[in-house]
């Protein structure tokens, strides 16, 4: 089990991050970025799981600049609240929350090389981090909403990227995933027979087989590029 610690971004903003540590010497650091539901029990369990696999895991509270202590479930009301918070964070003056993610990367770097992964909105932030932040060795966005369209799809990653998508995801149409694959030949794109949120065992869209395969591929990818 991990615990929350306070981190400070380069602009002086202090925010909590959930930190989970392995039992032995870390293989490296890993930043885990939340969905639009906060660093909730699911994200904490994800962090604990990757810590059990040997990584020093840091999960920053990326809503903290607009609201503290957010921990939502997966009801329609929770989704509406989370979407509003995400919109508020996205509306912050640049670099906004990217400063907090950089601080999380810097904290994770005490364990060696650092990878980053995230889900949904966190997947989009993972993609942006791969393209513009420092100190990363690998990035793994899971169904990053928005990363296959518009300006985000045209970004250029600075590190190896493994991107997971579901072919039944109505938030990320498959034709945009295929266009992204063509536009980003250096990115490893994996598509699963699954819906948006397939990794989350607290959601109706959970797909155990897709989640397991994506996790196995993620661990192999991290082993190659982080340790």
């Amino acid at each position: 089990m991990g615990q929350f610690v306070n981190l400070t971004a380069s602009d002086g903003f202090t925010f909590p991050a959930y930190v989970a540590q392995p039992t032995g010497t870390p293989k490296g650091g890993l930043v885990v970025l939340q969905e639009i539901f906060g660093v909730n029990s699911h994200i904490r369990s994800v962090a604990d799981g990757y810590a059990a696999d040997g990584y020093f895991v840091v999960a920053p509270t990326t809503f903290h600049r607009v609201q503290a202590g957010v921990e939502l479930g997966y009801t329609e009301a929770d989704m509406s609240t989370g979407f509003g918070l995400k919109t508020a964070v996205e509306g912050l003056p640049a670099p906004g929350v990217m400063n907090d993610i950089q601080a999380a990367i810097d904290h994770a770097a005490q364990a060696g090389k650092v990878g980053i992964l995230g889900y949904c909105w966190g997947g989009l932030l993972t993609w942006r981090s791969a393209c513009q932040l420092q100190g990363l060795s690998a990035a793994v966005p899971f169904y990053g909403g928005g990363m296959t369209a518009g300006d985000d799809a045209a970004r250029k990653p600075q590190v190896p990227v493994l991107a997971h998508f579901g072919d039944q995801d109505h938030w990320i149409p498959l034709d945009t995933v295929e266009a992204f694959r063509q536009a980003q030949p250096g990115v490893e794109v994996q598509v699963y027979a699954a819906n948006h949120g397939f990794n989350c065992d607290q959601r109706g869209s959970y797909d155990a087989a897709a989640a397991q395969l994506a996790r196995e591929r993620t661990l192999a990818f991290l082993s190659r590029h982080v340790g």
Side-chain angles (χ1 to χ4, degrees):
M1 297 295 292
Q3 61 183 355
F4 280 93
V5 303
N6 284 330
L7 303 181
T8 302
S10 61
D11 62 353
F13 181 75
T14 298
F15 61 96
Y18 183 77
V19 176
Q21 302 191 41
T23 53
T25 302
K27 297 175 180 178
L30 184 64
V31 174
V32 171
L33 298 182
Q34 63 172 69
E35 307 158 302
I36 61 169
F37 307 103
V39 180
N40 60 8
S41 61
H42 170 63
I43 294 299
R44 296 195 301 273
S45 74
V46 168
D48 291 340
Y50 281 103
D53 287 311
Y55 295 96
F56 179 88
V57 185
V58 182
T61 53
T62 47
F63 279 158
H64 201 71
R65 285 183 183 261
V66 298
Q67 185 171 318
V70 177
E71 180 164 349
L72 301 172
Y74 295 92
T75 66
E76 286 296 324
D78 290 327
M79 193 166 294
S80 178
T81 298
F83 187 78
L85 290 167
K86 174 225 175 191
T87 301
V89 174
E90 292 280 343
L92 292 171
V97 73
M98 301 309 290
N99 265 348
D100 306 339
I101 299 171
Q102 184 66 64
I105 293 167
D106 295 344
H107 189 68
Q110 64 187 278
K113 291 181 178 179
V114 179
I116 188 169
L117 63 84
Y119 306 88
C120 185
W121 178 50
L124 173 62
L125 294 177
T126 294
W127 171 243
R128 290 176 179 169
S129 298
C131 298
Q132 66 190 79
L133 298 185
Q134 304 302 311
L136 290 170
S137 294
V140 187
F142 281 71
Y143 35 86
M147 65 177 280
T148 63
D151 293 343
D152 278 300
R155 293 179 186 271
K156 298 301 179 188
Q158 304 177 71
V159 298
V161 176
L162 166 62
H164 302 293
F165 298 100
D167 66 3
Q168 299 154 41
D169 189 335
H170 64 281
W171 297 104
I172 309 172
L174 193 57
D175 61 340
T176 71
V177 173
E178 293 305 325
F180 178 84
R181 191 201 299 268
Q182 295 299 318
Q184 300 282 354
V187 174
E188 181 181 343
V189 175
Q190 296 286 357
V191 178
Y192 303 81
N195 210 321
H196 190 81
F198 68 77
N199 181 74
C200 179
D201 59 5
Q202 296 184 22
R203 302 177 74 164
S205 55
Y206 175 61
D207 187 294
Q212 178 64 26
L213 181 54
R215 195 173 190 281
E216 290 171 358
R217 287 169 169 166
T218 297
L219 285 169
F221 187 77
L222 293 173
S223 180
R224 290 197 301 274
H225 299 293
V226 176

